Amino acid sequence: MGRVIIAGAGIVGLSTALSARRAGFEVAVRERAPRIRETGAVLGVWPHTIRELERLGLGPRLAEIKAERSFVRYRDFSGTEFATTGMPPARTVHRARLSALLASAVGEDDLRTGKELVDYVEDRDGVTVHYADGDHERADLLVGADGLNSRVRAILNPGSGSRHQGGHHVWRAVLPFDGELGEGCPVLGRDRTRGTLTRLADGSCCWVIAQFGTSTSATMNSKEEALARVPNLHDGTWPFALREAVLATPEDSVLHSRVAVVPAISRWASGRVVLAGDAAHAMSPHIGSGASLGIEDARVLGDCLGGAGIAPALAAYQDDRLDRYRQVRRHANTMAAAPTPLSYVERFAAYLNWLHNSRTRPATCLPHPVRA
Ligand SMILES: Cc1cc2nc3c(=O)[nH]c(=O)nc-3n(C[C@H](O)[C@H](O)[C@H](O)COP(=O)(O)OP(=O)(O)OC[C@H]3O[C@@H](n4cnc5c(N)ncnc54)[C@H](O)[C@@H]3O)c2cc1C
């Protein structure tokens, strides 16, 4: 079928390699970083995510992920459960473990690190990709899975740079922690805070504290910023060891992100180049499904490539994704505008169920035969 270069070995780039390979392509994943790295701490994995990973052929390798404890309950800062129904079960998975699982499925031979795409030149017959080390190579197709600040998107869609989302910050860490965690469930706290404390399958502990609509203090470090928000998530009257877990975290293990998003773009593809994952649609983590959607991009792109020539496949993929993300953004706006934590949980549940149950493959694309 041809050769595809995938820029970026994040969760979406690696998923795209599996999907393109199943469609019959020779794949070459090129990652800027010196090694496949862990970005962030954990991911919420939904039934939708599991299904998309299974569609990539990862079924037997997912046992470890499926073994993670799942939860459906949400609480407020006083420990009171929100009475919601219909929330699909979530599993919390260490990002590094999911990346490692995908990378081992792709295999070392098709993956090179330390290769930063700086430019590409597209012509009628293919695309030439240029790297920061002066090297270049040729392929029939280039997939930009190079994340939030995608170089491929910048060339395909000049002026589409990512933007910070006003006052939205996230602090998080994974650490060894033997203490009792108490109720391991997400908390929708006061003053637009959200938090999670959970035990992972390998016995480590993960905490996440998110805050919308705030500024950070120039005088506080990341750990102090996180600790300052604990009272909004836990009033101390119920078992929830968030403060203890944050206190036990070395300062340099606390990851802090100022959340940024990609503005909606209408061009995901040209004749030989296409975007997938955060490169095309990084959104606020309040939708809790950016990776899940990116894995879906990878799978849909593979379905399209398996059923048509490259140009019609990319056109069909773009049509499908533009429609899908118009609806995702509508859900995301509805969630962001939720007047109360309870209505947020209800809208989040409705979104996740929609994500899982709605159409995810363009009618013009034929599914390629499943290979063992
Ligand atoms: C705080 C937070 C919490 C989140 N929680 C969830 C969650 O619970 N569930 C969920 O589904 N999603 C979640 N998301 C979203 C999710 O993390 C992203 O949508 C997903 O990781 C995007 O994957 P990606 O592969 O597209 O991009 P990335 O993970 O950013 O990967 C891009 C890769 O490309 C490489 N790269 C960059 N530039 C170049 C270049 N020029 N050449 C070659 N390589 C390059 C990078 O080094 C990187 O490895 C969260 C996001 C945040 C910020």
Side-chain angles (χ1 to χ4, degrees):
M1 296 286 281
R3 179 171 194 262
V4 55
I5 294 174
I6 297 156
I11 285 165
V12 177
L14 294 168
S15 299
T16 305
L18 298 177
S19 156
R21 189 186 280 159
R22 285 164 67 78
F25 280 74
E26 178 195 333
V27 301
V29 182
R30 303 296 182 240
E31 165 58 47
R32 174 178 64 184
R35 60 193 164 86
I36 305 296
R37 69 188 166 93
E38 152 195 355
T39 51
V42 290
L43 281 175
V45 166
W46 308 98
H48 172 263
T49 330
I50 303 266
R51 185 188 63 194
E52 291 298 330
L53 290 168
E54 282 172 345
R55 286 177 171 179
L56 294 179
L58 285 171
R61 295 177 188 247
L62 297 178
E64 197 187 341
I65 289 177
K66 288 180 176 170
E68 292 283 357
R69 198 171 66 88
S70 62
F71 61 84
V72 292
R73 293 178 305 175
Y74 287 71
R75 293 179 188 267
D76 73 6
F77 84 117
S78 69
T80 307
E81 257 184 56
F82 291 107
T84 45
T85 54
M87 178 62 79
R91 292 178 171 82
T92 310
V93 173
H94 200 303
R95 273 172 192 270
R97 296 219 327 272
L98 181 55
S99 289
L101 184 152
L102 289 164
S104 82
V106 171
E108 284 178 8
D109 291 350
D110 293 333
L111 180 54
R112 283 169 68 190
T113 54
K115 299 299 282 185
E116 178 182 0
L117 176 149
V118 288
D119 200 3
Y120 68 79
V121 180
E122 185 180 353
D123 56 55
R124 213 187 52 174
D125 301 324
V127 55
T128 304
V129 175
H130 295 268
Y131 298 100
D133 59 8
D135 204 1
H136 67 273
E137 63 182 325
R138 186 122 176 113
D140 300 287
L141 170 64
L142 167 66
V143 180
D146 48 346
L148 177 70
N149 296 311
S150 166
R151 177 73 188 132
V152 179
R153 186 185 69 245
I155 299 169
L156 195 63
N157 282 283
S160 61
S162 64
R163 297 171 194 159
H164 284 291
Q165 202 183 40
H168 186 170
H169 294 258
V170 186
W171 298 266
R172 57 225 188 268
V174 177
L175 67 153
F177 182 73
D178 293 334
E180 274 298 311
L181 297 187
E183 295 293 339
C185 61
V187 176
L188 305 182
R190 296 181 301 188
D191 195 20
R192 307 189 72 196
T193 52
R194 291 188 194 143
T196 314
L197 174 67
T198 191
R199 179 85 63 200
L200 302 175
D202 66 2
S204 58
C205 149
C206 170
W207 60 261
V208 179
I209 295 177
Q211 167 100 55
F212 298 78
T214 186
S215 59
T216 54
S217 157
T219 58
M220 286 162 86
N221 64 37
S222 292
K223 182 168 168 174
E224 289 167 342
E225 292 277 4
L227 274 174
R229 287 163 174 85
V230 170
N232 284 336
L233 293 157
H234 184 220
D235 66 1
T237 62
W238 55 290
F240 188 57
L242 183 60
R243 175 178 296 282
E244 292 78 357
V246 178
L247 281 171
T249 310
E251 159 60 22
D252 60 4
S253 299
V254 179
L255 298 169
H256 169 233
S257 300
R258 191 175 161 209
V259 172
V261 297
V262 170
I265 53 171
S266 55
R267 190 172 190 228
W268 283 49
S270 57
R272 297 275 175 179
V273 180
V274 64
L275 300 171
D278 273 12
H281 55 70
M283 285 191 227
S284 163
H286 82 266
I287 63 164
S289 55
S292 195
L293 286 161
I295 297 166
E296 183 187 289
D297 293 344
R299 194 265 308 159
V300 172
L301 180 58
D303 282 353
C304 292
L305 289 169
I310 290 178
L314 299 194
Y317 167 79
Q318 174 174 285
D319 278 358
D320 180 84
R321 298 291 85 190
L322 287 178
D323 179 52
R324 184 81 164 150
Y325 283 92
R326 258 191 296 275
Q327 298 182 62
V328 170
R329 285 180 194 280
R330 190 172 45 76
H331 278 279
N333 292 340
T334 310
M335 282 186 269
T340 62
L342 174 60
S343 63
Y344 167 78
V345 180
E346 285 170 342
R347 291 174 191 195
F348 190 30
Y351 163 67
L352 291 169
N353 285 309
W354 168 81
L355 190 63
H356 189 69
N357 296 323
S358 50
R359 183 189 68 86
T360 56
R361 187 173 57 79
T364 46
C365 292
L366 301 171
H368 49 80
V370 174
R371 295 173 188 194

